[in-house]
Amino acid sequence: ATGKESRLCYPGQINFTAPSVAGGRVAWSEQIPDPRWGQRSYSVIVIYDLKTKKKRTLANNTKLFAPALSPDGKKIAAVEYTPANECSLVILDADTGTELNRYAADEKEFLQTPHWSLDGKSVVFTKINRPRGKAIAIVNADSGLSADIVPYTSQNIYYPVSDGRFIYFVSPHSGIDNIYAANIATKRVFQVTSRKFGAYYPSLSPDGKK
């Protein structure tokens, strides 16, 4: 914990979300142009192994965004958004790229920033519905059972993470962006931080204590 920074690798054109780190791996998505058609491009998941220091593309010709590694680094949750405007949350094998599960979004909904709970049993994400606003939901990665934990709102809530009991997210409810938490069981929401100039992008330590 010296705070010293070191370079791991040079990525390509990274898409908008931050890289995900877990299980000795780093994952992110890159924009890849079609070699023939100038108006067509792909979004692929790239994985960097911290031990072997090797980088590889999980699959070619995909439309996958915002990859999130499971705590053990063996699975990836990502958002698929096709040219036909169909949006899904997909669970992939991080070694082979094989699709393990798929959860289609409701019509006219777009999913954002999936994150695994610390126990690896569920995935939380933000949903955008143009007339209804934004909501935060959770899905069981095995059964596919899902629930909205934070209901639709016109406020710009985003970037949820979960320790399995609470979902922490950013909300401007107080007038300044700060971190809030929603109890998954009761759906009760309360404010966690109160920073004068805002608090953003919560991240949980592996033991859930920080």
Side-chain angles (χ1 to χ4, degrees):
T2 63
K4 186 179 179 180
E5 192 176 286
S6 60
R7 180 181 291 117
L8 295 177
C9 66
Y10 288 96
Q13 183 179 340
I14 294 182
N15 282 323
F16 306 107
T17 53
S20 173
V21 183
R25 291 169 165 171
V26 185
W28 64 89
S29 65
E30 292 185 2
Q31 197 77 12
I32 305 292
D34 188 284
R36 181 175 182 182
W37 305 108
Q39 298 302 313
R40 184 166 66 183
S41 65
Y42 302 98
S43 182
V44 300
I45 294 175
V46 179
I47 297 178
Y48 179 84
D49 191 298
L50 293 170
K51 185 177 182 180
T52 64
K53 303 190 183 306
K54 291 184 178 180
K55 184 174 68 170
R56 62 186 172 89
T57 299
L58 192 61
N60 296 311
N61 301 339
T62 57
K63 288 281 188 178
L64 297 170
F65 302 86
L69 285 159
S70 60
D72 60 8
K74 294 181 179 180
K75 297 178 182 178
I76 291 178
V79 174
E80 182 186 64
Y81 194 65
T82 71
N85 296 326
E86 297 171 339
C87 188
S88 301
L89 176 71
V90 295
I91 308 295
L92 308 171
D93 185 298
D95 290 315
T96 65
T98 301
E99 184 177 308
L100 303 175
N101 280 311
R102 170 182 294 266
Y103 314 108
D106 292 340
E107 189 177 1
K108 298 182 180 179
E109 282 196 339
F110 181 69
L111 310 182
Q112 287 183 316
T113 59
H115 281 95
W116 291 82
S117 59
L118 294 181
D119 59 11
K121 294 181 179 179
S122 58
V123 179
V124 295
F125 52 91
T126 304
K127 304 194 299 184
I128 300 177
N129 182 295
R130 189 174 295 275
R132 302 175 68 188
K134 298 180 77 172
I136 292 175
I138 187 169
V139 63
N140 184 288
D142 293 322
S143 69
L145 294 175
S146 63
D148 292 353
I149 305 301
V150 180
Y152 286 98
T153 174
S154 60
Q155 295 178 356
N156 185 30
I157 55 176
Y158 60 96
Y159 209 81
V161 298
S162 175
D163 60 6
R165 294 180 58 230
F166 296 93
I167 296 175
Y168 301 87
F169 60 98
V170 184
S171 171
H173 181 73
S174 68
I176 302 172
D177 286 347
N178 266 291
I179 308 302
Y180 285 72
N183 185 303
I184 295 173
T186 67
K187 301 185 180 181
R188 177 176 172 265
V189 176
F190 58 91
Q191 188 169 346
V192 176
T193 68
S194 182
R195 301 297 180 182
K196 185 185 298 185
F197 300 109
Y200 307 87
Y201 303 109
S203 180
L204 296 167
S205 61
D207 61 6
K209 295 181 178 180
K210 297 179 182 179

